[in-house]
Amino acid sequence: MIAAIALPGILRIGGGAFAETRAVLESLGLSRPLIVTDPMMVKFGLAERLQGLLGGAAVFSDTVPEPDTDAVDRARAAVLAGDYDCLVALGGGSPIDTAKAVAVLAKQGGRMRDYKAPAQNSGPALPVIGIPTTAGTGSEATRFTVITDSETHEKMLCIGQSFLPVAAIVDYELTLSKPPRLTADTGVDALTHAIEAYVSRRANPFSDGFALNAMRAIAGHLRRAYRDGQDRAAREAMMLGATQAGIAFSNASVALVHGMSRPIGAHFHVPHGLSNAMLLPAVTAYSAPAAERRYADCARAMGLAGSDRDDAFAVAALLDELRALNRDLAVPGPRAYGIEEAAWFRLLPLMAQQAIASGSPANNPMVPDEAAIQALYQQVWAE
């Protein structure tokens, strides 16, 4: 199998990398950036710091969590109203995904639903420089963006080289102020990226290396970062692991957890990392019989089983750890989160259809039909 590998052209990784943003733009011949961010980055002064580094660049800060097409359209209007030659996306996955979507729409036009999977786009786009402030989505290094259709409430996966940032600036110091809940949710998101990339039917030797390294980094440091946000070693490991996981799944794929997670986020406004965490133990238990060796490798990379233990032991240890991690990180189930039971069960058929339509479940070791997905949603509710 030939693996088609795609990476940002420039990666700056490490404490203090944020200060090199202007130099990165200059190396790319870019001089008229629009900063795309969210209100929290403005409130805490990080957007202003970036403005200072970039000589007073304009700021668009009207992005929203779990971005939808209405928010993307507002950002597109701001981009088209100015003379910008690039977008600098500052924040978590939501501002970065918004910037990636707008970068394509600004050059190619149309609506986001025109770009949803299984379509793949390699057409023109404004250059995007991704600066993550959470250790989770890896969006700064992926050729994906996820946008919810405001009319249909479908969370659309959009794929292609057009959505890949030209540069990523990965500075763990930007995560030191993040609260425990956000640390937990984004951290499990990154772990899910790594596991799904490794067990995906589209995994390859290139993505495998990044996935396994990401699992090693995240497993050893997520609880530490959750307990003490100022633990610099833990924050640095989590940030590197999140970017490695992003590279892994961008060059392999995600699978069933993500396919089932997106409808939960779209219909019930659950943060993406949290909905992944709700699903990860049950979906892993469902999928493991179809890829026991691969899931056992995940357990060994996470330090849960030695090479002297057989695959069955390692998989059991992995399942125990995923459940324990959710307990330690205080991950609520759908019921505890406050989702109404009647609404959950009423939407099961639609959520299962939308999960299948996203394409991600087809990459899973155990490929489910809609009935199997509905049964998993029921199981997650009961747990």
Side-chain angles (χ1 to χ4, degrees):
M1 179 183 73
I2 297 174
I5 305 303
L7 295 168
I10 295 174
L11 284 156
R12 293 284 189 275
I13 299 175
F18 186 61
E20 297 190 4
T21 304
R22 183 167 186 164
V24 168
L25 264 65
E26 289 175 350
S27 72
L28 293 166
L30 302 171
S31 59
R32 303 187 310 280
L34 174 67
I35 299 169
V36 178
T37 189
D38 61 39
M40 298 303 290
M41 295 297 102
V42 174
K43 178 180 178 180
F44 291 113
L46 198 55
E48 185 177 5
R49 279 181 59 193
L50 184 55
Q51 277 186 293
L53 290 172
L54 298 180
V59 174
F60 175 84
S61 61
D62 194 20
T63 67
V64 299
E66 310 298 321
D68 58 22
T69 51
D70 288 344
V72 167
D73 286 343
R74 291 193 297 272
R76 172 165 55 173
V79 170
L80 295 178
D83 181 26
Y84 306 111
D85 64 0
C86 64
L87 305 178
V88 179
L90 173 70
S94 296
I96 298 176
D97 275 9
T98 300
K100 290 158 72 169
V102 170
V104 171
L105 291 174
K107 287 292 189 180
Q108 299 188 41
R111 300 177 299 174
M112 280 312 301
R113 66 183 61 168
D114 300 329
Y115 299 93
K116 73 177 183 178
Q120 297 216 16
N121 192 276
S122 59
L126 279 173
V128 173
I129 294 84
I131 308 178
T133 61
T134 63
T137 68
S139 187
E140 71 279 358
T142 75
R143 56 189 183 91
F144 303 113
T145 193
V146 179
I147 306 295
T148 299
D149 190 313
S150 299
E151 295 179 15
T152 66
H153 304 291
E154 178 187 2
K155 209 165 189 178
M156 301 179 292
L157 174 66
C158 304
I159 307 171
Q161 193 75 14
S162 304
F163 297 105
L164 181 69
V166 299
I169 297 171
V170 183
D171 186 339
Y172 76 89
E173 293 178 353
L174 302 182
T175 70
L176 292 172
S177 62
K178 297 300 180 284
R181 181 73 268 146
L182 182 62
T183 299
D185 295 347
T186 54
V188 177
D189 188 23
L191 180 61
T192 306
H193 290 153
I195 292 173
E196 292 211 298
Y198 190 75
V199 303
S200 165
R201 289 170 175 263
R202 297 176 59 200
N204 56 77
F206 180 89
S207 62
D208 283 352
F210 282 95
L212 292 170
N213 281 331
M215 282 181 255
R216 292 185 186 101
I218 295 165
H221 296 91
L222 177 50
R223 287 181 176 87
R224 284 175 51 181
Y226 175 73
R227 290 193 298 263
D228 178 7
Q230 295 297 312
D231 185 332
R232 297 177 72 90
R235 289 293 195 185
E236 183 172 20
M238 288 301 301
M239 197 66 155
L240 178 60
T243 297
Q244 290 174 323
I247 291 171
F249 88 81
S250 183
N251 291 287
S253 65
V254 286
L256 181 55
V257 174
H258 275 76
M260 291 180 62
S261 176
R262 296 186 196 105
I264 296 175
H267 293 288
F268 300 109
H269 308 292
V270 179
H272 174 66
L274 181 55
S275 57
N276 278 348
M278 291 175 179
L279 293 162
L280 183 57
V283 172
T284 302
Y286 166 81
S287 305
E292 186 178 57
R293 172 58 61 85
R294 284 255 148 185
Y295 281 105
D297 288 345
C298 295
R300 295 184 182 105
M302 294 168 64
L304 305 174
S307 58
D308 58 325
R309 305 308 298 258
D310 64 20
D311 290 347
F313 176 92
V315 171
L318 175 64
L319 294 173
D320 287 344
E321 166 62 5
L322 296 180
R323 298 182 188 108
L325 186 62
N326 276 4
R327 289 194 298 271
D328 292 346
L329 301 181
V331 173
R335 187 200 314 264
Y337 185 78
I339 296 173
E340 292 184 1
E341 183 173 6
W344 179 268
F345 282 89
R346 183 180 70 253
L347 286 169
L348 288 190
L350 177 59
M351 291 200 298
Q353 291 167 14
Q354 290 177 339
I356 293 286
S358 75
S360 297
N363 302 319
N364 205 58
M366 182 84 76
V367 178
D369 58 16
E370 290 182 15
I373 290 177
Q374 289 193 50
L376 282 167
Y377 279 133
Q378 292 169 348
Q379 178 183 340
V380 168
W381 178 270
E383 292 177 349

